[in-house]
């Protein structure tokens, strides 16, 4: 499937309600190729809702998202083929081996030269020696690495990650940070939701605070990410 050419994603005045509950209110932000954007905020702030809208899995109640010049409503399947998502749920089949899990998703996306690409993904996941083991027997860190390469098997331009550090030990977190930096360096747009400031500190290029459905920029500058986040929050309350 051909994919779309875009180097920016713009969220424009997006709101989303679930029944009477407002999960997002007039959110605007921009993400760029080559950069990692962090979405920070407490539980229930609206981060996952925003990621699901960016993934085109959920529609905004108002406002729009532009992928380059393309709107999600008109770009459809071609746009979806340019997006990779790693959510809370890793969507691995425990009875399939690491290689089989990758091949299964690769076929769904119509990835060319699939055998070679699966081998490449196993190398990137550092799982070559576990290729023929069932993913159900893997530790959280190994499953996470496999799920990430599964989400990237079709070389998406936009990579969305929801709380990717959950359940990872320090070593696994560092491997993930390095992988996401490489992705951005290779030109992907990376957007990640997390409440883990310390882990994300060295990773993110841009940061936005999501609080009760509203988005505020966390300005670059001196002080830790956590301190600058607190400042952004204070100014909104
Ligand atoms: P976060 O990811 O920052 O924890 P969410 O986007 O999951 O926040 O949730 C934002 C708000 O929307 C919360 O109040 C949550 O309860 C509500 N919400 C999320 N998903 C649904 C849903 N499917 N139905 C109803 N309310 C939802
Ligand atoms: Mg969430």
């Amino acid at each position: 499937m051909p994919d779309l050419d875009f180097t920016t994603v713009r969220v424009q005045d997006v709101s989303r309600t679930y029944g009477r509950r407002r999960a997002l209110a007039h959110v605007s932000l921009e993400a760029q190729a080559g950069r990692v954007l962090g979405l920070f905020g407490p539980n229930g702030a609206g981060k996952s809702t925003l990621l699901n809208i960016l993934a085109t899995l959920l529609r905004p109640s108002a406002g729009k998202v532009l992928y380059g010049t393309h709107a999600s409503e008109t770009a459809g399947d071609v746009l979806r083929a340019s997006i990779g998502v790693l959510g809370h749920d890793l969507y691995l089949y425990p009875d399939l081996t690491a290689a089989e899990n990758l091949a299964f998703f690769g076929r769904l996306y119509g990835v060319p030269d699939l055998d070679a690409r699966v081998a490449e993904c196993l190398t990137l996941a550092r799982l070559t020696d576990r290729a023929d083991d069932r993913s159900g027997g893997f530790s959280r860190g190994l499953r996470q690495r496999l799920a990430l390469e599964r989400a990237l098997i079709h070389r998406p331009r936009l990579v969305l990650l929801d709380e990717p550090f959950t359940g990872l030990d320090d070593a696994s977190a560092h491997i993930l940070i390095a992988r996401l930096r490489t992705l951005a360096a290779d030109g992907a747009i990376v957007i990640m939701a997390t409440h883990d400031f310390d882990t994300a500190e060295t990773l993110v290029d841009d940061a936005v605070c999501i609080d009760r459905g509203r988005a505020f920029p966390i300005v670059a500058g001196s002080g830790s990410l956590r301190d600058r986040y607190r400042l952004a929050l204070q100014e909104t309350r």
Side-chain angles (χ1 to χ4, degrees):
M1 196 181 289
D3 60 354
L4 280 188
D5 194 16
F6 59 90
T7 54
T8 59
V9 175
R10 287 196 193 85
V11 175
Q12 296 183 331
D13 204 21
V14 161
S15 298
R16 168 72 201 198
T17 52
Y18 294 106
R20 288 171 59 194
R21 179 183 296 278
R22 191 152 79 158
L24 291 177
H26 303 290
V27 168
S28 295
L29 55 83
E30 187 173 325
Q32 286 167 7
R35 300 181 75 83
V36 179
L37 170 66
L39 306 174
F40 297 91
N43 291 329
K47 302 180 299 296
S48 294
T49 299
L50 180 55
L51 285 176
N52 284 326
I53 288 173
L54 285 161
T56 76
L57 300 171
L58 197 66
R59 280 169 169 274
S61 308
K64 66 177 169 184
V65 181
L66 287 176
Y67 305 81
T69 55
H70 311 276
S72 51
E73 307 84 66
T74 49
D77 285 348
V78 189
L79 172 59
R80 231 155 284 135
S82 310
I83 301 176
V85 183
L86 182 65
H88 286 247
D89 213 321
L90 299 181
Y91 291 111
L92 296 171
Y93 293 101
D95 288 333
L96 296 187
T97 67
E100 288 166 348
N101 266 288
L102 290 166
F104 178 82
F105 286 98
R107 272 193 294 275
L108 285 185
Y109 284 106
V111 169
D113 297 325
L114 188 55
D115 288 349
R117 181 63 181 143
V118 165
E120 196 177 1
C121 289
L122 285 166
T123 304
L124 288 165
R126 307 180 188 200
L127 284 172
T128 305
D129 57 333
R130 306 293 303 269
D132 300 322
D133 294 345
R134 288 173 58 250
S135 70
F138 289 180
S139 67
R140 170 79 200 181
L142 296 192
R143 279 190 288 125
Q144 173 89 352
R145 261 144 62 188
L146 179 59
L148 178 64
E149 298 311 325
R150 186 270 300 157
L152 301 175
I153 194 161
H154 56 307
R155 306 182 193 278
R157 312 223 164 179
L158 173 61
V159 180
L160 305 168
L161 308 115
D162 201 351
E163 312 274 4
F165 296 109
T166 305
L168 296 189
D169 61 21
D170 277 355
S172 296
H174 279 109
I175 292 173
L176 178 60
I177 287 173
R179 183 69 183 100
L180 297 181
R181 285 257 47 108
T182 312
L183 262 184
D186 288 346
I189 304 169
V190 181
I191 306 179
M192 170 189 73
T194 183
H195 47 238
D196 194 336
F197 295 102
D198 299 328
T199 311
E201 178 99 55
T202 58
L203 172 60
V204 300
D205 300 298
D206 305 302
V208 168
C209 158
I210 310 282
D211 181 44
R212 293 173 296 179
R214 296 189 300 153
F216 308 94
I218 299 175
V219 285
S222 56
S224 69
L225 185 59
R226 187 191 298 275
D227 289 343
R228 287 181 285 125
Y229 166 80
R230 289 206 177 115
L231 247 146
L233 261 188
Q234 270 169 22
E235 282 168 16
T236 68
R237 292 186 166 171

